[in-house]
Amino acid sequence: MRNGPETRRMIVEKSAAVFNRKGYAGSSMSDIMAATGLEKGGLYRHFQSKDELALEAFEFSIGVMTRKYREAAFRHKKASEKLLSVLSLYRHLTTEPPFEGGCPLLNTSVEADDTHPLLRQKAREAMESWLSFLEALLRKGIESGEFRPDLDLRETAVFLSSGFEGSIMAGKLFSDESYVELFLRQLRRYVERCLKA
Amino acid sequence: MRNGPETRRMIVEKSAAVFNRKGYAGSSMSDIMAATGLEKGGLYRHFQSKDELALEAFEFSIGVMTRKYREAAFRHKKASEKLLSVLSLYRHLTTEPPFEGGCPLLNTSVEADDTHPLLRQKAREAMESWLSFLEALLRKGIESGEFRPDLDLRETAVFLSSGFEGSIMAGKLFSDESYVELFLRQLRRYVERCLKA
């Protein structure tokens, strides 16, 4: 028998995948019960409501993705390589997705923007961290002389992030990771012609 | 008293906005009743199920957006101007959105990809038309000598569409259209440096 914190963590992990695939509104407590193997009573011993669980599951998902994008950057030396490595995280969207159900930031943002203020707030914070991370990579590239000194950091980060999220959307829609690959090919041109000094 | 087809059209229009804001799973028949002013019996006289209504509402939404992006292209002569005009459709996302609740293709794709095969199929068809439309604009630009002759049409269309959808996602998340404006500013650089001959 697992202890309390372990069970709680298992619930969060399993339901993060359910929410990411089916959405918050589209996931029922029965879906969570099926994924965790727990009865309703067992779930409610740990979480008062689907909302409480949804918020914690989203935080967990973002934690996983944050570690992955930091690791992807860490593996390379040059700023352009770090950037391309991070933006390639969903290259194997269908065969080896970094997170089941696609990008949790994309899924949660699109669902929560008009409907769920608490989740929307968490998604805003996650997006803000992600954009700041991209800006930091760009800044590093400017400092090392690799990128143009007149780059607008925020503008470029928003452009990069938008393409990244939009290509995941298309790849997921068609269950075809070649959409992500097409995006990445053109992204390499963009990095060469628009970012490099 | 409105006649049948008129009422049916009114139901489709009103529920398209509800679905686009709240999602399909997140919209209840009560939401549709509230938006249309009809009782459940009145709704079911026209639509057998929420699904039937959802599919027709999505087709309606895509019809509206298709007209808007064709008009946006038609207003200009040069291919680059057509392209920028089309990709600026959500520039006034918060103050004057072309469609209430944001981009129906983005919202429906993200929700339906893992959950709703019929809607996903419709979203795939809509995405395919949208990408073909962008490709046609690019082809026109190549033929007129404005764009580089070696552009990969599909790759460039996917890149443009991805940034477009991702910037709407960010703008909606923050209820702040400056994210779309930042995307568009960098897009203009991209068009100059990567697309133009």
Side-chain angles (χ1 to χ4, degrees), chain A residues 20-23 25-26 101-102 105-111 113-115 119-121 123-125 127-128 131 148 150-152 154-156 158-159 161-170 172-175 178-187 189-190 193-195, chain B residues 20-23 25-26 101-102 105-111 113-115 119-121 123-125 127-128 131 148 150-152 154-156 158-159 161-170 172-175 178-187 189-190 193-195:
Chain A
N20 204 38
R21 271 195 305 110
K22 306 189 76 173
L105 183 50
L106 172 64
N107 293 340
T108 304
S109 296
V110 167
E111 181 171 3
D113 52 8
D114 289 313
T115 58
L119 266 175
R120 185 183 57 198
Q121 185 49 38
R124 286 179 176 180
E125 290 162 14
M127 178 60 113
E128 197 45 57
L131 290 174
R148 311 164 85 97
D150 64 342
L151 279 189
D152 182 316
R154 173 72 13 166
E155 182 183 308
T156 311
V158 167
F159 188 78
S161 164
S162 296
F164 172 78
E165 297 293 1
S167 73
I168 299 170
M169 168 209 153
K172 280 287 298 171
L173 174 60
F174 290 103
S175 297
S178 75
Y179 288 84
V180 178
E181 190 49 48
L182 289 174
F183 162 73
L184 289 170
R185 274 194 227 163
Q186 191 63 20
L187 179 70
R189 278 171 205 265
Y190 166 78
R193 295 191 189 145
C194 293
L195 302 192
Chain B
N20 203 39
R21 271 195 304 111
K22 306 190 76 172
L105 182 52
L106 172 64
N107 294 339
T108 303
S109 297
V110 167
E111 179 171 2
D113 52 9
D114 288 313
T115 58
L119 265 175
R120 185 183 58 198
Q121 186 48 37
R124 285 179 176 179
E125 290 162 13
M127 177 62 112
E128 197 43 59
L131 289 174
R148 311 164 84 97
D150 65 342
L151 278 189
D152 182 318
R154 172 76 6 170
E155 182 184 308
T156 310
V158 166
F159 188 78
S161 164
S162 296
F164 172 77
E165 297 292 1
S167 73
I168 298 170
M169 167 211 155
K172 280 288 298 170
L173 175 60
F174 289 103
S175 296
S178 75
Y179 287 85
V180 178
E181 189 50 46
L182 289 174
F183 162 73
L184 289 170
R185 275 194 227 163
Q186 192 62 22
L187 178 71
R189 279 171 205 266
Y190 165 78
R193 293 190 190 145
C194 293
L195 301 192

Side-chain angles (χ1 to χ4, degrees), chain B residues 62-75:
Chain B
I62 291 300
V64 170
M65 289 314 304
T66 303
R67 270 195 305 284
K68 294 208 180 202
Y69 67 64
R70 287 192 183 144
E71 279 165 21
F74 191 72
R75 264 182 249 125

Side-chain angles (χ1 to χ4, degrees), chain A residues 83-113:
Chain A
L83 206 55
L84 288 167
S85 169
V86 166
L87 297 169
S88 301
L89 265 180
Y90 282 87
R91 198 173 60 244
H92 303 303
L93 183 63
T94 52
T95 48
E96 211 185 316
F99 208 91
E100 198 188 328
C103 174
L105 183 50
L106 172 64
N107 293 340
T108 304
S109 296
V110 167
E111 181 171 3
D113 52 8

